[in-house]
Amino acid sequence: MKKLFSILAVAAIVFVGTFNANAATAQTMPTSSQALVTAATFTIIQDEPAPAAEPEKGFHQELKERFVEGGPGFMGIVLLCLILGLAIAIERIIFLNLSTTNTQKLAQDVEDALNSGGIDAAKEVCRNTKGPVASIYYQGLDRAHEGIDIAEKAVVAYGGVQMGQLEKNVSWISLFIALAPMLGFMGTVIGMIIAFDKIQAAGDMNPSLVAGGIKVALLTTVFGLIVAIILQIFYNYIIAKIDSIVNSMEDASITLIDMLFDYKQKNKI
């Protein structure tokens, strides 16, 4: 009987020890498994190639996409204003640069020819020189035989004609400068109207409904302002160039009248 209790006690001790060992193993196994899974996942993630980054869009690509998003209607009209305005501005710049002459050198050449060969020689110098200043000199010399007063009136009258040629088509540039932002603002108003129409139709203030219309409105305004800024720079340069040539014409006119007066005094004409 004692042996039976002893065997049962030993069996109980062994059972309890085995149970505790299994419980400890069961508690440590999830942590070990989790560590193994985490390590395996990390290894797989490291082995997977990183997704390629999207290439950055160039300025021209971005500009083209924004232009298309703004709509072909108003954006096309704004682009037409830019093209026409630049065409006129480039034509005026070329014309004004060709019309610019060295006024001091021309005056000296005319005076030398006038003193050495008379009025006909001075007219020949003016005929072979380009620009409005040379044309004014020629008109004054051509009327010199009629008197200083008549020559002065001819110079003033022909100076007005030359000024009109310098300012030709410049008003169109100012028109496009004013028209481009107006068209942009009109596109803004229309885009806002479309956005509010969508809100009214849906009966809900959902940002996704009005985002498209507002985006179009802002893009047309931005492009209109950009066109106006570009054309304004060219316009200011052209106006400054015209003012410079006109000042040269006025100085040359005074110089010519003085030369004619001195010539007549020397030759007693």
Side-chain angles (χ1 to χ4, degrees), residues 122-156:
K123 288 170 64 177
E124 186 65 23
V125 172
C126 297
R127 191 181 293 110
N128 295 328
T129 306
K130 295 181 180 180
V133 177
S135 299
I136 291 174
Y137 271 24
Y138 184 85
Q139 294 296 323
L141 293 169
D142 192 44
R143 297 294 184 89
H145 64 280
E146 299 179 7
I148 299 296
D149 294 338
I150 301 299
E152 185 177 0
K153 290 180 180 179
V155 167
V156 172

Side-chain angles (χ1 to χ4, degrees), residues 179-249:
L179 191 60
M182 287 182 183
L183 291 172
F185 293 146
M186 184 179 294
T188 301
V189 173
I190 292 177
M192 298 301 294
I193 292 174
I194 293 173
F196 284 113
D197 286 341
K198 290 181 179 179
I199 295 174
Q200 184 179 6
D204 185 16
M205 187 63 181
N206 190 354
S208 62
L209 294 176
V210 299
I214 296 176
K215 186 177 182 180
V216 171
L218 296 177
L219 286 174
T220 54
T221 302
V222 168
F223 274 85
L225 293 175
I226 290 174
V227 170
I229 291 171
I230 294 173
L231 294 181
Q232 186 68 50
I233 294 172
F234 283 95
Y235 179 79
N236 287 353
Y237 174 79
I238 291 170
I239 293 299
K241 194 72 174 178
I242 291 174
D243 291 340
S244 176
I245 295 175
V246 169
N247 290 332
S248 298
M249 290 165 53

Side-chain angles (χ1 to χ4, degrees), residues 52-62 65:
E54 295 182 0
E56 296 183 358
K57 297 179 181 179
F59 175 76
H60 296 287
Q61 184 68 21
E62 185 71 21
E65 291 182 1

